[in-house]
Amino acid sequence: MASNRAAKSGFAAEAQRKINSKYSEELAQECLEWVKQITNEDFSTSGEMDNFYEVFKNGTRLCRLVNIIKPGSVKKINESQMAFKCMENINAFLDVARTLGVPAQETFQTVDLWERQNLNSVVICLQSLGRKAGNFGQPGIGPKEAEKNVRNFTEEQLKAGQGVISLQYGSNKGATQSGINFGNTRHM
């Protein structure tokens, strides 16, 4: 747990301050309100780091959240406050989050939450899970995910596109047979 660690100093303290500066209380509050809405549990939705950490530190609420999104996904939720049991809960949540479609780069390490190393990555993971929740019939948070939009062109359409003169450069001013020339040429 965070209270068992020695205070960081030097470069480590500077790195930790930089990580903590990325934390957004507004996004954290949005995540907490979303979790409260889905789980129907009563807890503070203040986005402050201390509150966010206290709400999620043992992983039980996270496990209940994914069990509501996808019933039966976490078989056993450990109610014990022992460190390894809490970390098992957090790991179980992360495994289910990945199976629900949260990309690996948007998940967090267990110590990011348990030892309060990087709460911003926990917020990012919950935001990503919130976008995926809509696919499972639950209310989501954040922007709606884009859907695949496959375009099928006929051979005739593809050939017609090859005959179009591209105006990508805006005009042919400055263009010569030797290529496009930006600005004045070098005079020797």
Side-chain angles (χ1 to χ4, degrees):
M1 231 156 79
S3 61
N4 295 341
R5 281 190 167 259
K8 293 183 177 180
S9 61
F11 288 126
E14 189 177 326
Q16 189 62 46
R17 275 193 299 276
K18 188 173 182 181
I19 289 169
N20 289 345
S21 70
K22 294 178 181 179
Y23 179 83
S24 167
E25 287 189 3
E26 293 80 23
L27 288 177
Q29 182 174 353
E30 183 182 10
C31 289
L32 287 166
E33 289 170 354
W34 174 70
V35 171
K36 187 174 186 174
Q37 177 188 5
I38 289 185
T39 61
N40 289 322
E41 295 178 11
D42 189 34
F43 55 86
S44 171
T45 58
S46 165
E48 296 172 359
M49 271 185 157
D50 293 335
N51 181 58
F52 188 83
Y53 172 70
E54 288 300 320
V55 167
F56 294 122
K57 71 178 177 182
N58 63 8
T60 56
R61 192 164 278 128
L62 294 172
C63 289
R64 286 194 293 270
L65 171 68
V66 292
N67 271 345
I68 292 171
I69 294 172
K70 186 178 176 191
S73 52
V74 176
K75 303 289 183 234
K76 183 175 188 292
I77 300 173
N78 298 306
E79 297 294 336
S80 170
Q81 294 301 313
M82 295 173 65
F84 68 93
K85 292 292 185 184
C86 294
M87 288 192 279
E88 277 182 14
N89 287 340
I90 296 168
N91 274 331
F93 164 79
L94 289 169
D95 290 341
V96 174
R98 284 187 206 99
T99 62
L100 294 176
V102 175
Q105 65 270 21
E106 292 182 351
T107 60
F108 58 93
Q109 299 293 315
T110 304
V111 295
D112 290 341
L113 176 57
W114 178 247
E115 294 181 358
R116 200 178 173 166
Q117 295 295 307
N118 189 353
L119 292 180
N120 183 54
S121 63
V122 180
V123 172
I124 290 170
C125 183
L126 286 171
Q127 288 277 321
S128 183
L129 181 64
R131 289 191 302 273
K132 302 291 183 189
N135 300 340
F136 297 92
Q138 296 293 333
I141 54 173
K144 183 177 179 255
E145 287 200 323
E147 295 175 6
K148 194 173 187 178
N149 187 2
V150 179
R151 293 173 175 90
N152 297 316
F153 295 104
T154 64
E155 285 295 321
E156 187 178 304
Q157 289 172 318
L158 291 172
K159 285 181 183 175
Q162 291 173 348
V164 175
I165 298 172
S166 172
L167 294 177
Q168 183 174 347
Y169 296 109
S171 73
N172 65 353
K173 198 172 192 175
T176 63
Q177 287 182 344
S178 62
I180 294 179
N181 189 2
F182 291 103
N184 199 0
T185 59
R186 184 171 176 201
H187 300 289
M188 307 224 33

